Amino acid sequence: LKGFDEPVEIREAGLENVSPFLAPEASEKAWPAQAERAIDGKRVIRKIAVLPFTNISDNSEQEWFVDGMTEILIAELAKIKALTVISRTSAMHYKKSTKPLPDIARELGVDALVEGAVMRAGDRLRITAQLIDAGSDAHLWAERYDGTMEEVLDLQSNVALAIAKEVNVALTPEEAAPRKLSRLVNPAAFDLLMQARYKIHVDNIEGFNEAIQCVEEALTIDPEYADAYAWLAAIYAQHIAYGTVDHERAYFRARTAAQEAIRLGGESALALFALAQVTRTQEWDWDTALEYALRAEALDPSDSNIQSICGLTFTYGGNYAQAHRRFVRAIDTDPLNPLPYLGMGAQLLAERRYDDALRFVDDKIKQFPKLALLRSFYVLSYLMKGDRARAIEESRALAESGSDQTPDALGLAGACCALGGDVRAAEAYLAELRAHPRQDLVKSFDFAVILASLGRMEESYPYFERSYRDRDFILAWMTLVHFFELPPFKDDERIQRLIARIGIK
């Protein structure tokens, strides 16, 4: 391919019965087929997955610790620029899986797999790891590492460096040098942080609250624990996205914790990710959010969540080409993570490619059948195409799905019914919102959009203003997908002035 300054990976895409592409030897910028590329007689491995490590400690309740070890090793390997590492979300899908390793490798599209085990006894720690070729199922390398809990990060760094050297990727001088930590970890604080990281993946409100409690206890033990501050910032930033906390308090805690993490430990991808999130969701400062996201990406280019936030922020800024590049990269490193797919769907809606969005959802809903936001793309695509009957049908199905997003689904369904002329159904959804048992999940926008769709503009304005003040995520989201270009919104000067303040390009 001409016109590219960097190597471009060429992939076969839906070409049945066509032999795999082999890069021409004369090309300086294409990568030759991996099976033919070798250095010093060793096959070069460019893409790997770390499967969940096995707990072989006497204490069977140490799963949270072992999962944390897996996650840290993934993060360490992801720092190596020449190596693509499958992210945690997709890797943990294979926890205790009985699938043959070649099948897992094929599903994840990797060249090799890392398996391992962790044994912990008091203050002593043993990590064993082995590298397995994806095609032949052959063991390429195995090693054991022993140390104390205080040295745990050094041990993980050494494992990552050994794997990187074994797979024969080109390392920068900084990557090849053994890493020396400026301070040892406090084992008790480290344990609490590992518990917090485990709890946030439970993916419910209780898990987030327990995770915050664990991190705050860790900071009580070690007030200068930079990683703990970074995780506290990230947890609060995600908590905001759930819309179940006091936004002002969570925003303040997320921002100050991220700044403290950077002060104590230098630039941190996780802390910058949190700053990007709160700047994007709570300040609606898209340019500054993008700056934070790109700085995080530079530090951790393999993190699918960072890639997705970069993509979403580019989408809000109208730079769809850069957004798409990030979503593709995120899916490549984390094919089972729903976030980049949601971002890609949002990009299609923002570009007004409604038929493409419908085809996209048709394909991805099989993979994520319970993902409410993905199903809402059906509603919005039909609504913006002018097919209000299908929009009402899909919105009602979404509202009856019983997901955590039900209040927002009720608001969308009510608006669709009102715009389609079914006033009685819209009024029923409005009443259901007012009687909803989880008022902490009901947003001002949900009321505003139904009232305005019913033509009750004076009643809707205070809710719209409150929605703007509360930084309701869905208000910015609906602006992004051009919802307010529909009548009666497009002819209302007050609503148009309000959405102009959001600053979406």
Side-chain angles (χ1 to χ4, degrees):
L1 296 179
K2 295 182 179 180
F4 290 86
D5 295 328
E6 299 176 354
V8 177
E9 184 175 6
I10 308 300
R11 291 177 176 268
E12 177 181 318
L15 304 177
E16 295 182 3
N17 302 318
V18 177
S19 61
F21 174 86
L22 295 179
E25 292 183 2
S27 171
E28 296 178 356
K29 294 183 178 180
W31 290 336
Q34 292 179 9
E36 297 184 358
R37 184 181 177 95
I39 300 175
D40 297 332
K42 292 183 179 180
R43 180 186 172 204
V44 174
I45 293 170
R46 293 195 179 277
K47 189 174 182 182
I48 67 173
V50 180
L51 297 181
F53 277 28
T54 303
N55 176 24
I56 56 174
S57 305
D58 291 336
N59 186 352
S60 61
E61 296 182 357
Q62 289 281 309
E63 287 297 317
W64 53 268
F65 181 81
V66 177
D67 284 357
M69 292 292 95
T70 306
E71 192 171 346
I72 290 173
L73 181 56
I74 290 172
E76 284 293 315
L77 286 168
K79 294 175 182 177
I80 299 168
K81 292 181 173 61
L83 191 63
T84 299
V85 185
I86 294 295
S87 295
R88 181 199 185 281
T89 308
S90 294
M92 294 304 291
H93 181 77
Y94 295 95
K95 185 178 174 71
K96 299 182 180 178
S97 173
T98 58
K99 283 186 177 182
L101 294 182
D103 289 353
I104 295 175
R106 184 169 56 255
E107 290 175 7
L108 294 175
V110 297
D111 307 313
L113 297 166
V114 177
E115 282 193 313
V118 175
M119 182 172 67
R120 182 180 179 184
D123 189 45
R124 299 297 302 176
L125 185 66
R126 170 171 293 174
I127 301 172
T128 59
Q130 55 187 352
L131 184 68
I132 302 164
D133 182 83
S136 64
D137 203 15
H139 286 62
L140 304 176
W141 164 88
E143 191 56 82
R144 184 183 77 190
Y145 297 84
D146 293 296
T148 67
M149 280 296 299
E150 288 184 321
E151 302 166 328
V152 60
L153 298 182
D154 269 331
L155 292 177
Q156 290 280 36
S157 177
N158 290 336
V159 175
L161 182 58
I163 292 171
K165 289 179 177 178
E166 189 62 32
V167 301
N168 221 20
V169 294
L171 299 175
T172 66
E174 294 79 12
E175 291 169 347
R179 296 174 199 164
K180 294 295 182 182
L181 298 177
S182 58
R183 63 198 296 266
L184 298 174
V185 301
N186 181 299
F190 182 81
D191 267 358
L192 285 163
L193 184 56
M194 290 299 99
Q195 290 181 52
R197 294 171 69 161
Y198 181 81
K199 289 176 184 297
I200 62 171
H201 294 300
V202 175
D203 202 24
N204 58 38
I205 305 306
E206 291 72 20
F208 277 109
N209 289 333
E210 291 173 2
I212 288 172
Q213 183 178 351
C214 286
V215 179
E216 289 180 339
E217 287 181 24
L219 288 170
T220 301
I221 296 171
D222 185 354
E224 296 191 349
Y225 196 177
D227 284 351
Y229 278 111
W231 275 99
L232 186 63
I235 294 168
Y236 267 114
Q238 189 63 27
H239 219 355
I240 292 170
Y242 268 71
T244 55
V245 291
D246 179 276
H247 279 213
E248 289 188 12
R249 177 178 179 274
Y251 164 69
F252 175 78
R253 291 290 286 147
R255 178 168 282 284
T256 54
Q259 291 168 340
E260 191 68 3
I262 293 171
R263 184 186 71 82
L264 291 169
E267 290 249 307
S268 154
L270 189 60
L272 289 167
F273 168 78
L275 286 171
Q277 278 283 61
V278 297
T279 304
R280 184 177 66 90
T281 61
Q282 294 302 290
E283 297 177 13
W284 289 347
D285 181 347
W286 315 110
D287 292 338
T288 304
L290 181 60
E291 178 189 339
Y292 284 133
L294 291 175
R295 283 161 60 187
E297 179 188 48
L299 292 170
D300 193 350
S302 291
D303 188 292
S304 63
N305 290 323
I306 292 174
Q307 288 284 333
S308 297
I309 294 306
C310 280
L312 280 168
T313 313
F314 271 124
T315 300
Y316 276 83
N319 192 334
Y320 304 127
Q322 289 288 356
H324 185 74
R325 176 183 172 189
R326 265 64 182 193
F327 295 137
V328 169
R329 171 69 173 170
I331 291 169
D332 184 47
T333 58
D334 206 354
L336 301 180
N337 183 354
L339 185 57
Y341 298 105
L342 291 174
M344 194 171 283
Q347 178 198 326
L348 292 173
L349 290 172
E351 290 187 84
R352 306 175 195 269
R353 294 165 56 188
Y354 303 120
D355 289 330
D356 288 340
L358 288 170
R359 285 190 289 268
F360 178 80
V361 179
D362 280 339
D363 180 46
K364 298 308 172 188
I365 203 69
K366 303 168 189 174
Q367 186 176 359
F368 304 104
K370 296 182 179 179
L371 198 56
L373 192 55
L374 184 62
R375 294 191 66 87
S376 75
F377 295 166
Y378 272 137
V379 182
L380 294 168
S381 296
Y382 284 122
L383 193 60
M384 300 308 295
K385 277 168 59 71
D387 190 343
R388 294 189 175 182
R390 288 298 302 273
I392 290 173
E393 178 186 341
E394 293 292 343
S395 68
R396 282 176 165 167
L398 181 59
E400 294 168 5
S401 65
S403 73
D404 287 342
Q405 300 294 324
T406 297
D408 288 341
L410 293 173
L412 185 56
C416 287
C417 289
L419 294 173
D422 192 343
V423 174
R424 180 176 296 180
E427 294 280 7
Y429 282 119
L430 190 60
E432 193 172 346
L433 276 172
R434 286 175 173 150
H436 197 278
R438 291 293 305 274
Q439 285 296 309
D440 57 321
L441 294 176
V442 179
K443 299 180 179 66
S444 298
F445 179 86
D446 300 322
F447 293 109
V449 72
I450 297 180
L451 290 168
S453 299
L454 286 167
R456 293 157 61 175
M457 291 300 182
E458 287 300 324
E459 288 182 70
S460 75
Y461 294 144
Y463 286 106
F464 273 120
E465 287 291 347
R466 195 176 307 145
S467 178
Y468 180 89
R469 186 175 63 249
D470 292 345
R471 294 298 191 265
D472 281 351
F473 157 77
I474 195 169
L475 176 61
W477 180 268
M478 297 293 265
T479 303
L480 176 70
V481 300
H482 314 294
F483 176 80
F484 295 108
E485 294 179 9
L486 295 172
F489 312 104
K490 70 174 183 178
D491 300 321
D492 190 287
E493 291 184 4
R494 288 176 64 173
I495 291 177
Q496 292 303 312
R497 284 198 300 269
L498 182 139
I499 65 172
R501 284 153 54 192
I502 298 173
I504 294 176
K505 298 177 182 177

